[in-house]
Amino acid sequence: MFQIKNKDNLGRTGILKTKHGIVKTPALMPVIHPGKQSINVKDLGAEIVITNAYIIYKNQDLREKASENGVHDLINFDGPVMTDSGSFQLSEYGDIDINNQEVIEFQELIGTDIGTSLDIPTPPYVTRTKAERELKITLERAKESLEYRKEILLNSVVQGSTFPDLRSHCADELGKMDFDLHPIGAVVPLMESYRYKDLVDVVIASVSHLPESRPRHLMGAGHPMIFALAVAMGCDLFDSAAYILYAEDDRLLSTRGTYKLENLQEMPCSCQICSQYTPQDLRQMKKEERKKLIAQHNLNVSFAEIRLIKQAIVEGSLMELVEQRCRAHPRLLEAYRQLGNYLDVMERYDPISKKSAFFYTGPESLKRVEVYRHLEKLNQIPKKSRLLLLPSFRKPYHKYIPENLGGFYKIGSSNKKGNEDLQVMVVDVPFGLIPLELDEVYPLAQNESPNIIDEDARQFVRDLIEEVVEDYEEVLISSQINETFDLGLLDYVEPDSLKIKMDDQTKIMAVADYQFGEGAGAALFEGNIKVERSRKTGKIRHIYYDNDLIATMRASDSYFVLSKEGARRLHSRTEYPRNRVVVNADSEPYAQEGKSIFAKFVIECDKNIRANEEVLIVNEKDELLAFGKSLLNYEEIMDFNVGQAIKTRKGGM
Ligand SMILES: [Zn+2]
């Protein structure tokens, strides 16, 4: 019932199927107050709404109407409806007079699409004993609610207060049970007090332990300021009571924060309401009329933000958007910095290649997945005895190396001379050290950063150089680098006649190793290789062995797309399960025909597979059937039961 369409970082766009139609995620669910609603949220862009089953149950009139004609009729919305269970009321007012069984059965009765069990919303910063005790009850109730569920999709809320390990434990336990969606609960107090940093810990602790195939709902998050960050942490659904609550108070939402009507001289956006009225007009209106218009503006900006986030995921620029949004408030920037402590989690989900370039927007960009991943891969490159560090001029670097390299500083010494033992790297922000052979590979070429370098980036480069120097017998560092990054080197040597040559064979082997792992270059390009360049751009295009095409270097990101011969070589010369996706016997014929592979047919795969990677498709006996591009990462491929996992390029091996 849920499928991923596009991915960026932990964020995803997807499709959620319900009895009353599909919802494109990320989605915002306006909260509908049964019996009080005056705004048609569907006209403003709502695909799904949320209402409260407990409020309906408590009011005799509403209960009778809903029991007879259903909840959709009651709130006059014919699309998907989610209902909440009254847990919020429980947390606000203490005891409520409904039990878990009653609330599930009632939600079945009124025909909700997605129902919720009665959990205990444990607030932030309680004692561990209280958090543990309440979590135990939440888990018991969750288990029990499955017995009462008949037709509806069922939410099960992740609790655990501000104890990350309890949140993870709760997510693990709920993940084992047959639920459909997972709200992350009791986070409103964190957002109300701007404790976004703690929110990051809670959300990552939950999301990283929930099944990939179930949508996650950040409960009570209705301010558009937080949407981009929350999506980047893997949240798919939001609910907004904020649009109406803020309107009640004459407050206007925006991605930059909240505006009070009394302080406004200009309307804050370009929506229909803001174009049509001035703040003066609104102030002169009757309260009810004004509230309705402000609520409409609030929904307009919220839906606009959701659309922008979806577009950013499709083009691979979600983190650029997050970096912009988190500059709206220092507490959000703090949260974004906190997110930088979860690079190992995010790295697993971030696609290997994206459509848009990496933009450096400040020191926080140094803690993005792309940089982390590059440095991890850099560590795996076999070391030579000498290293030459060149300054960056223009990209691609190898094209703009000046004739006269100027002077160098020298650290250590080696008897070895010549190109064989020399590794050439370019020093640049934000990727630090870029081996010359890899200077066209994504994102090492596809990035922009300011030419005026900030102190954090300078320190980052200094640390990196200090570390890498240890791995070589002799390091030559251009005097320009010494100056730009304040390295404070002393041992100056006159330029000797360094010739920097990069042959095609070295380059394609290095790119293959970087893309598929160590040894892949030798596996693919051993023997009498012929490299063909594009007549238009002069860039490497096709690589042949005799007349057989092995691989094509894609112009956009300089990664290889394999041909049949390339796939055969990689398969026969690497060990199972590396670069492989294993499909079951039933789907073998489809794979052979070159049809795309659905996640449910995959029985095993290489744990290192990320989205947008070139992979080999094999059967249980490790016989090569086909090859293609992964759309999901390892965890997602294994967890999903619907939707495509691999876009097959060719079968019939
Ligand atoms: Zn507006």
Side-chain angles (χ1 to χ4, degrees):
M1 53 131 243
F2 181 63
Q3 281 180 49
I4 292 181
K5 289 292 170 189
N6 295 280
K7 282 165 54 63
D8 195 357
N9 213 290
L10 284 167
R12 58 254 188 110
T13 63
I15 283 181
L16 169 64
K17 285 187 186 146
T18 75
K19 273 190 297 184
H20 285 81
I22 65 157
V23 179
K24 287 187 250 115
T25 63
L28 174 67
M29 308 180 282
V31 174
I32 304 291
H33 200 292
K36 278 197 197 167
Q37 190 67 16
S38 59
I39 293 169
N40 185 336
V41 296
K42 193 163 197 175
D43 287 353
L44 295 169
E47 287 181 3
I48 176 170
V49 298
I50 180 165
T51 190
N52 193 306
Y54 178 65
I55 293 176
I56 301 172
Y57 183 84
K58 279 283 284 179
N59 178 304
Q60 198 188 343
D61 180 42
L62 295 175
R63 183 168 61 196
E64 277 168 14
K65 280 185 185 157
S67 306
E68 202 152 306
N69 304 318
V71 65
H72 296 81
D73 187 79
L74 179 75
I75 61 169
N76 193 24
F77 186 82
D78 59 6
V81 173
M82 181 187 282
T83 42
D84 197 0
S85 61
S87 299
F88 178 73
Q89 283 68 24
L90 178 72
S91 70
E92 290 285 292
Y93 317 115
D95 259 357
I96 56 167
D97 42 10
I98 190 168
N99 67 31
N100 198 23
Q101 180 171 3
E102 286 164 339
V103 85
I104 304 276
E105 285 172 357
F106 182 63
Q107 291 174 93
E108 289 278 359
L109 176 72
I110 63 177
T112 188
D113 293 282
I114 305 164
T116 310
S117 64
L118 197 64
D119 61 327
I120 300 192
T122 311
Y125 314 117
V126 298
T127 63
R128 189 167 176 103
T129 322
K130 180 174 159 75
E132 280 176 351
R133 190 177 58 231
E134 295 188 356
L135 181 56
K136 206 169 154 241
I137 303 172
T138 289
L139 288 172
E140 278 163 14
R141 292 217 190 130
K143 201 171 166 192
E144 175 189 281
S145 68
L146 287 169
E147 292 166 27
Y148 312 128
R149 183 258 296 266
K150 293 190 195 86
E151 288 191 359
I152 57 174
L153 298 175
L154 205 53
N155 269 324
S156 190
V157 188
V158 181
Q159 297 292 354
S161 184
T162 23
F163 298 98
D165 63 315
L166 293 186
R167 291 276 180 177
S168 298
H169 169 69
C170 182
D172 281 335
E173 291 305 310
L174 297 178
K176 290 178 206 158
M177 301 181 224
D178 190 20
F179 291 105
D180 305 291
L181 304 92
H182 293 286
I184 297 168
V187 290
V188 169
L190 293 176
M191 292 185 281
E192 279 175 347
S193 57
Y194 285 67
R195 304 218 183 187
Y196 299 124
K197 175 178 157 286
D198 295 349
L199 179 72
V200 167
D201 293 335
V202 163
V203 172
I204 295 286
S206 309
V207 163
S208 61
H209 285 254
L210 285 171
E212 284 73 12
S213 59
R214 301 180 191 169
R216 303 96 178 219
H217 166 195
L218 191 61
M219 259 183 137
H223 200 301
M225 248 171 114
I226 193 86
F227 292 168
L229 177 67
V231 169
M233 295 192 289
C235 298
D236 307 290
L237 295 168
F238 303 96
D239 61 279
S240 177
Y243 76 100
I244 197 77
L245 295 174
Y246 279 59
E248 185 89 47
D249 265 357
D250 284 340
R251 288 188 296 168
L252 287 82
L253 297 173
S254 97
T255 52
R256 296 193 60 211
T258 309
Y259 297 102
K260 282 189 177 151
L261 181 62
E262 61 189 68
N263 297 331
L264 279 185
Q265 200 154 17
E266 304 290 340
M267 295 298 281
C269 86
S270 59
C271 84
Q272 199 196 350
I273 306 300
C274 292
S275 331
Q276 211 175 329
Y277 301 95
T278 67
Q280 188 65 15
D281 294 339
L282 291 178
R283 282 193 287 262
Q284 281 163 357
M285 278 176 198
K286 283 203 182 100
K287 171 84 182 170
E288 266 315 295
E289 195 183 351
R290 180 168 72 228
K291 180 176 133 189
K292 202 170 156 182
L293 293 174
I294 296 176
Q296 282 182 41
H297 155 84
N298 286 344
L299 278 179
N300 283 335
V301 292
S302 302
F303 284 124
E305 180 67 358
I306 296 285
R307 289 195 296 271
L308 202 60
I309 291 169
K310 285 186 196 157
Q311 176 62 25
I313 293 175
V314 170
E315 61 192 30
S317 64
L318 178 63
M319 296 319 280
E320 276 77 10
L321 181 63
V322 171
E323 293 191 341
Q324 285 175 23
R325 291 298 184 246
C326 286
R327 281 178 171 77
H329 195 285
R331 295 279 89 77
L332 275 174
L333 187 57
E334 180 179 276
Y336 181 57
R337 288 179 181 171
Q338 183 68 0
L339 189 61
N341 294 325
Y342 296 102
L343 283 165
D344 53 336
V345 179
M346 293 188 282
E347 195 281 325
R348 299 207 309 269
Y349 293 86
D350 203 32
I352 233 68
S353 178
K354 300 176 188 179
K355 284 182 197 153
S356 45
F358 177 111
F359 280 6
Y360 182 93
T361 73
E364 292 78 21
S365 304
L366 296 168
K367 283 191 123 188
R368 274 184 52 181
V369 165
E370 288 88 341
V371 178
Y372 172 81
R373 180 183 280 156
H374 170 63
L375 297 181
E376 292 283 300
K377 288 190 173 189
L378 198 63
N379 258 329
Q380 289 158 18
I381 295 176
K383 301 292 183 295
K384 296 185 175 176
S385 62
R386 296 162 70 222
L387 172 67
L388 172 64
L389 296 182
L390 296 177
S392 62
F393 293 93
R394 280 180 62 187
K395 296 189 194 84
Y397 306 120
H398 75 272
K399 268 196 174 169
Y400 299 97
I401 297 170
E403 286 284 302
N404 180 5
L405 290 166
F408 285 87
Y409 287 85
K410 194 171 142 186
I411 301 170
S413 86
S414 165
N415 300 326
K416 294 182 183 141
K417 298 284 168 224
N419 266 326
E420 288 284 288
D421 284 300
L422 184 70
Q423 172 73 62
V424 183
M425 294 196 203
V426 174
V427 175
D428 203 357
V429 174
F431 291 98
L433 300 167
I434 301 105
L436 202 56
E437 309 82 60
L438 301 174
D439 73 342
E440 289 176 309
V441 166
Y442 185 91
L444 308 175
Q446 298 76 0
N447 68 83
E448 294 279 351
S449 66
N451 288 321
I452 299 174
I453 299 169
D454 57 74
E455 189 45 41
D456 289 64
R458 224 175 254 140
Q459 186 62 47
F460 166 78
V461 168
R462 276 198 294 267
D463 292 348
L464 212 53
I465 291 177
E466 204 170 292
E467 209 176 295
V468 81
V469 155
E470 299 290 315
D471 299 332
Y472 294 84
E473 286 173 35
E474 181 182 299
V475 184
L476 286 170
I477 304 175
S478 145
S479 57
Q480 201 182 317
I481 297 171
N482 186 39
E483 227 169 87
T484 311
F485 296 97
D486 294 332
L487 297 180
L489 297 171
L490 296 170
D491 193 7
Y492 185 77
V493 290
E494 285 304 317
D496 58 0
S497 54
L498 278 165
K499 281 265 178 301
I500 296 164
K501 266 177 51 191
M502 193 174 49
D503 61 282
D504 289 347
Q505 183 82 17
T506 311
K507 177 167 176 144
I508 59 175
M509 303 257 277
V511 172
D513 279 1
Y514 192 76
Q515 177 178 357
F516 296 106
E518 204 194 322
L524 284 169
F525 304 126
E526 213 160 66
N528 195 14
I529 295 294
K530 197 177 83 198
V531 173
E532 194 183 279
R533 289 174 178 275
S534 152
R535 272 189 222 137
K536 231 161 108 192
T537 61
K539 283 169 97 173
I540 293 175
R541 282 293 280 157
H542 302 298
I543 294 121
Y544 296 91
Y545 179 79
D546 289 335
N547 286 323
D548 285 334
L549 179 67
I550 301 174
T552 299
M553 194 180 255
R554 193 160 46 201
S556 60
D557 59 8
S558 284
Y559 281 122
F560 287 116
V561 175
L562 298 174
S563 69
K564 277 191 181 183
E565 174 62 18
R568 279 190 208 114
R569 283 177 170 232
L570 191 64
H571 177 254
S572 66
R573 296 170 193 181
T574 56
E575 299 264 318
Y576 176 91
R578 197 174 135 180
N579 308 115
R580 288 153 168 83
V581 172
V582 187
V583 297
N584 67 13
D586 290 350
S587 65
E588 241 182 80
Y590 300 99
Q592 296 269 23
E593 283 169 35
K595 297 212 168 112
S596 284
I597 306 296
F598 285 82
K600 66 176 166 190
F601 297 126
V602 178
I603 45 180
E604 195 40 77
C605 90
D606 180 353
K607 290 189 169 58
N608 295 311
I609 286 175
R610 307 284 185 264
N612 287 355
E613 237 172 338
E614 299 299 316
V615 296
L616 304 169
I617 301 161
V618 300
N619 62 14
E620 270 182 284
K621 286 178 256 163
D622 192 28
E623 291 162 335
L624 184 63
L625 307 170
F627 58 96
K629 184 177 86 167
S630 62
L631 304 174
L632 306 171
N633 78 341
Y634 162 76
E635 284 88 349
E636 291 160 341
I637 292 172
M638 298 313 291
D639 192 53
F640 271 89
N641 270 323
V642 287
Q644 283 186 13
I646 316 294
K647 197 170 178 344
T648 306
R649 294 196 187 276
K650 273 204 176 74
M653 305 302 292

